């Protein structure tokens, strides 16, 4: 075992003394040492409950025959950091997390790792670290938040709170209505309830093969996540023992799972479910750490072949809890596999020890051979009670598992349901199956997760754009774009920062037909490429979301919808064309044809470039100054380069 480096031989007597002081017992020396990389942070709703999760995983690893060691990473709450200088630290925190994971695993010679992330930057940061250290690893997230509901029954989420704040500022909403939405929008622990970046990344972990089915969609408040954590603990101990016996090449190391085909599968899922634009940034960075060549061009090619089967908030009123009720991620993958044969690589191995195709067969509830557990998980429901505690809603699916110690504990706590799975028509798959819960509420799983024949579009929910304004590419979430904004031309209204843009939009500087340009907000120019949910929600709040477009060398929250184009590369700070624009320049956006351009002749752009000089750095000391010196533009995933 790797851990023999710190626990075997006379020269390690002092090491064993220290380990004994940490709780290692005489019976532990022959067991695998399992790191549990947790991201419990009290200020982040997606992470506030993870102390209990980490301790439960620790117990389960011990019960499965491993020796668990829990450590924590930092985390930035993007919503709380939004709209002020704190957001500059969000993307850079990804690098700190990756470095921390690498440091802990390599310094202490762990045999394997369980990663417990939940929110944007934390998930990809841990992924990047896992690719570097390349020891057996399973990702098991904290789970999504329940959607909020107002007294009138309106379903709301974090984006509604951002929009309501703008509407109150410009007199379109009362103080009482704002307060109601604010109090209802984020009702529980968990990653925010829409298909924002956190939930997108947790779902993609299933498609890459680094997480167990259910990782991205089982609610944080559902006791069914306890069974998921237990399965992850049992599986990681088995993987560690297999690795100790066979070494590299046993097929289940991160770099053996995260192949080019696995990254293709992940982006196909992203396109099909209309995920966040930030996933592009993170997948490029994770692939770089895995040593897998991956590019915007590759992602664009996949997008043109992948139908958009889901629209989840902010692109619709559906939330992740609805995706879970409709069958979860493997049901989306099942629809892609049925409707687009050969698009997914079903032979890719996963941490379950089975191929992606075998996982789909087991967890696609529209397939004839779905496991009882998969069908039962469609019955997981929101508890509807405000809580920051995990597992407050009784389990519905744990009874489908064998009677392990963890299940016995769930039963002792009264957290297992007694319901049996509902058959879907003599073992077949009807066109419109009843949800199986007797609710009679009109919920249509075939609208939440559509078939390929009934797709929102036959191309993916994300698109890559290029042109003389973005020579190296730009990204847009097409799933959130109004059909009439798929092509748009208008004059540039330029802002040199997110803050200036927000003030200008709210105070009426932007008119119908304009193209808002926010520049010097890229990885190097920001520095930090802060998320800009405030300007996009401001455009929505003033009623211009279907009349104006926005382009930036920065990035957006996964909660952004509308004609919002980010990741324009090269960024302004390194002389990209976006930095050469002037107010009134006519910008052309053609999403179906993948074009982002400005109506300027090449010689005029050359003249402006010759007159351009880089601005002075905004920050000259601290971590951000160091980050800015090494950061690259978004088309590379904003990775750091120092040579």
């Amino acid at each position: 075992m790797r851990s023999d480096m710190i626990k075997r031989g006379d020269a390690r007597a002092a090491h064993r003394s220290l380990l004994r002081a940490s709780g290692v017992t005489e019976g532990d020396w022959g067991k695998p040492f399992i790191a549990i990389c947790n991201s419990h942070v009290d200020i982040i709703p997606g992470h506030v409950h993870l102390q209990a999760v980490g301790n439960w995983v620790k117990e389960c690893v011990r019960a499965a025959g491993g020796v668990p060691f829990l450590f924590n990473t930092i985390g930035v709450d993007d919503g709380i950091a939004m709209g002020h200088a704190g957001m500059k630290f969000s993307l850079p925190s990804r690098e700190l997390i990756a470095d921390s994971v690498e440091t802990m695993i390599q310094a202490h010679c762990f045999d394997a790792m369980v990663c417990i992330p939940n929110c944007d930057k934390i998930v990809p940061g841990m992924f990047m670290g896992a690719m570097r250290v390349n020891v057996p690893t399973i990702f098991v997230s904290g789970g999504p938040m329940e959607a909020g509901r107002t007294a009138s029954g309106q379903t709301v989420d974090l984006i509604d709170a951002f929009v309501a704040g703008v509407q109150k500022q410009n007199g379109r909403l009362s103080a009482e209505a704002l307060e109601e939405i604010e109090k209802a929008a984020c009702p529980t622990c968990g990653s925010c309830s829409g298909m924002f970046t956190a939930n997108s990344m947790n779902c993609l972990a299933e498609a890459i093969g680094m997480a167990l089915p259910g990782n991205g969609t089982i609610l944080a408040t559902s006791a069914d996540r306890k069974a998921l954590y237990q399965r992850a603990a049992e599986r990681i101990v088995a993987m560690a023992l297999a690795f100790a016996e066979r070494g590299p090449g046993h097929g289940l190391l991160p770099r053996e799972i995260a192949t080019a085909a696995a990254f293709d599968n992940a982006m196909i899922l992203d396109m099909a479910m209309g995920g966040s634009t930030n996933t592009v940034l993170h997948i490029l960075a994770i692939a770089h750490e895995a040593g897998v060549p991956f590019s915007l061009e590759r992602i664009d090619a996949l997008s043109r072949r992948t139908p958009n089967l889901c629209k989840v908030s902010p692109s619709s009123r559906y939330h992740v809890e609805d995706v879970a009720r409709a069958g979860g991620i493997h049901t989306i993958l099942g629809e892609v596999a049925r409707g687009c044969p050969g698009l997914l690589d079903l032979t890719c191995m996963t941490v379950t020890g089975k191929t992606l195709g075998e996982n789909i067969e087991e967890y696609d509830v529209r397939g004839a051979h779905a496991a009882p557990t998969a069908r039962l998980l469609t019955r997981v429901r929101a508890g509807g009670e405000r809580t920051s505690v995990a597992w407050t809603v009784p389990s519905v699916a744990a009874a489908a598992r064998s009677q392990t110690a963890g299940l016995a504990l769930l039963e002792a706590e009264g957290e297992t349901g007694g319901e049996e799975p509902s058959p879907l028509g003599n073992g077949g798959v009807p066109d419109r199956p009843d949800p199986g819960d007797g609710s009679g509420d009109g919920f249509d799983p075939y609208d939440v997760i559509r078939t390929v024949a009934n797709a929102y579009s036959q191309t993916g929910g994300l698109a890559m754009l290029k042109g003389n304004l973005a020579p190296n590419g730009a990204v847009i979430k097409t799933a959130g774009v109004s059909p009439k904004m798929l092509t748009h031309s208008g004059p540039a209204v330029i802002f040199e920062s997110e803050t200036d843009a927000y003030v200008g939009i709210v105070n009426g500087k932007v008119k119908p037909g304009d193209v808002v340009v926010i520049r010097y907000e890229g990885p190097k120019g920001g520095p930090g490429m802060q998320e800009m949910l405030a300007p996009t929600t401001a455009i929505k709040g003033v009623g211009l979301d279907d009349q104006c477009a926005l382009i930036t060398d920065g990035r957006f929250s996964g909660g952004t919808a509308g004609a919002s184009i980010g990741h324009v590369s090269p960024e302004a700070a390194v002389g990209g064309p976006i930095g050469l624009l002037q107010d009134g320049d006519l910008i052309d956006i053609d999403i179906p044809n993948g074009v982002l351009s400005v109506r300027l002749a090449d010689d005029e752009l050359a003249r402006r470039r010759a007159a351009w000089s880089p601005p002075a750095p905004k920050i000259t000391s601290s971590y951000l100054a160091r980050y800015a010196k090494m950061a690259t533009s978004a088309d590379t995933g904003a990775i750091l380069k120092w040579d």
Side-chain angles (χ1 to χ4, degrees):
M1 297 183 192
R2 278 180 102 247
S3 57
D4 287 348
M5 181 65 68
I6 61 170
K7 66 187 183 187
R8 296 291 187 190
D10 294 343
R12 299 296 182 252
H15 301 64
R16 290 191 293 273
S17 290
L18 292 166
L19 289 165
R20 285 187 174 93
S22 300
V24 177
T25 65
E26 295 310 306
D28 290 338
W29 303 117
K31 299 175 182 178
F33 280 16
I34 310 295
I36 301 171
C37 177
N38 199 0
S39 53
H40 165 244
V41 180
D42 277 346
I43 200 170
I44 307 178
H47 298 248
V48 68
H49 60 303
L50 293 187
Q51 185 168 358
V53 170
N55 287 332
W56 171 245
V57 173
K58 186 175 178 180
E59 289 181 33
C60 292
V61 167
R62 173 64 74 176
V67 184
F69 296 88
L70 185 64
F71 73 92
N72 282 63
T73 69
I74 64 165
V76 172
D77 186 295
D78 288 355
I80 295 172
M82 194 79 65
H84 58 87
M87 179 49 76
K88 294 180 183 294
F89 286 88
S90 179
L91 183 60
S93 75
R94 185 184 72 177
E95 311 303 322
L96 295 176
I97 292 165
D99 291 348
S100 296
V101 170
E102 179 185 15
T103 299
M104 287 296 294
I105 301 305
Q106 301 294 53
H108 302 106
C109 301
F110 286 114
D111 296 301
M113 173 169 58
V114 177
C115 287
I116 311 174
N118 217 30
C119 292
D120 188 12
K121 258 63 79 235
I122 293 104
V123 184
M126 288 189 185
F127 254 103
M128 291 163 68
M131 295 302 153
R132 292 180 193 173
V133 299
N134 204 33
V135 300
T137 301
I138 288 181
F139 279 73
V140 59
S141 76
M145 180 186 289
E146 296 179 15
R149 284 170 179 80
T150 64
S152 65
Q154 178 188 358
T155 303
V156 294
D157 56 38
L158 178 66
I159 307 308
D160 294 288
F162 271 104
V163 172
V166 176
Q167 292 176 330
K168 168 63 171 59
Q169 279 185 288
N170 60 27
R172 300 178 66 194
L173 195 71
S174 69
E176 293 75 19
L178 171 61
E179 183 178 19
E180 182 183 24
I181 293 172
E182 175 186 326
K183 289 181 176 179
C186 297
T188 71
C189 58
S191 46
C192 293
S193 56
M195 195 58 77
F196 314 147
T197 307
N199 287 328
S200 296
M201 287 301 303
N202 285 327
C203 292
L204 263 59
E206 294 186 42
I208 291 175
M210 293 291 292
L212 302 177
N215 177 70
T217 55
I218 301 173
L219 289 170
T221 52
S222 172
D224 286 292
R225 289 205 78 86
K226 293 190 81 170
L228 184 70
Y229 297 132
Q230 183 183 348
R231 289 199 299 274
E234 293 166 350
R235 186 70 192 126
I236 198 63
V237 172
M239 289 167 65
L241 292 171
F243 178 58
E245 180 181 347
R246 287 180 276 168
H250 80 314
L252 294 175
L253 295 181
R255 288 190 174 208
E256 294 169 343
I257 291 173
T259 61
F263 284 114
D264 280 355
N265 288 340
M267 291 313 304
I268 290 165
L269 171 65
D270 202 22
M271 304 300 177
M273 72 182 187
S276 163
T277 55
N278 281 322
T279 55
V280 174
L281 194 72
H282 298 322
I283 287 293
L284 289 172
I286 296 166
H288 171 76
E289 297 290 356
V292 174
F294 215 64
S295 66
L296 285 179
E297 289 77 12
R298 179 63 181 164
I299 295 171
D300 188 51
L302 293 171
S303 178
R304 295 183 184 279
R305 299 169 58 201
T306 305
N308 179 206
L309 306 183
C310 292
K311 285 196 176 185
V312 183
S313 178
S315 302
S316 78
R317 299 311 302 178
Y318 290 130
H319 291 82
V320 176
E321 63 191 49
D322 299 308
V323 176
R325 185 176 175 184
I329 295 309
H330 281 71
T331 297
I332 299 175
L333 293 170
E335 288 293 0
V336 173
R338 275 186 291 276
C340 303
L343 183 58
L344 289 166
D345 188 333
L346 302 179
T347 67
C348 288
M349 286 302 298
T350 74
V351 291
T352 65
K354 302 175 182 179
T355 65
L356 182 66
E358 290 170 327
N359 289 345
I360 291 172
E361 184 174 12
E362 186 174 353
Y363 283 91
D364 170 15
V365 300
R366 298 177 188 175
H369 305 292
T373 298
R375 299 197 192 281
L376 279 167
L377 284 173
T378 65
R379 296 188 178 187
V380 172
R381 296 291 181 273
E385 302 292 334
R386 176 165 292 281
T387 181
S388 59
V389 179
W391 318 320
T392 54
V393 181
S395 169
V396 297
R401 296 202 66 217
S402 60
Q403 298 299 310
T404 59
L407 178 57
L409 178 59
L410 288 173
E411 290 174 337
E413 294 175 351
E415 293 180 345
T416 57
E419 300 174 294
E420 294 298 320
S422 295
L424 295 182
N426 298 320
V429 186
D431 291 337
R432 293 282 182 181
D434 185 271
D437 58 7
S439 62
D441 60 2
F443 178 81
D444 186 354
Y446 276 68
D447 191 51
V448 180
I449 301 174
R450 296 188 173 191
T451 64
V452 170
N454 189 39
Y456 286 102
S457 67
Q458 291 302 317
T459 55
L462 298 175
M464 313 303 133
L465 310 180
K466 278 193 172 184
N468 67 349
L469 190 47
N472 293 351
V475 181
I476 185 167
K477 184 173 182 175
T478 55
V481 179
S482 167
K484 70 179 185 179
M485 290 297 294
L486 290 173
T487 59
H488 179 79
S489 297
V493 180
I494 297 173
F495 300 98
E496 307 294 348
S497 71
E498 178 201 18
T499 304
D500 290 346
Y502 181 83
V503 173
I505 294 164
V506 171
N507 291 323
K509 186 175 179 181
V510 177
K511 308 299 181 186
D514 287 345
V515 177
V516 176
V517 177
I518 307 175
R519 62 191 183 189
Y520 293 105
E521 288 289 7
K524 188 177 292 291
M529 203 183 184
Q530 59 186 336
E531 282 188 353
M532 293 185 287
L533 185 57
T536 57
T537 52
I539 288 175
K540 187 174 182 179
V542 298
L544 294 175
D545 51 312
D546 61 351
Q547 301 176 68
C548 287
L550 187 154
I551 70 169
T552 180
D553 54 4
R555 64 193 180 95
F556 301 114
S557 161
T560 292
S564 301
I565 300 168
H567 305 195
V568 173
S569 300
E571 63 174 292
V574 297
I578 191 173
L580 309 178
L581 294 177
Q582 297 175 3
D583 281 318
D585 286 342
L586 287 176
I587 294 173
D588 294 316
I589 299 166
D590 184 347
I591 296 170
N593 290 306
V595 176
L596 175 62
S597 60
V598 58
R599 294 186 200 174
L600 293 174
D602 291 345
D603 57 352
E604 174 60 15
L605 282 171
R607 185 190 66 78
R608 293 187 186 184
R609 183 171 288 107
W612 178 87
S613 59
K618 296 176 183 176
I619 295 175
T620 57
S621 63
S622 85
Y623 170 57
L624 288 181
R626 177 159 38 102
Y627 176 87
K629 285 186 177 295
M630 295 186 287
T632 61
S633 290
D635 60 300
T636 65
I639 60 171
L640 303 186
K641 289 187 176 180
W642 49 88
D643 52 10

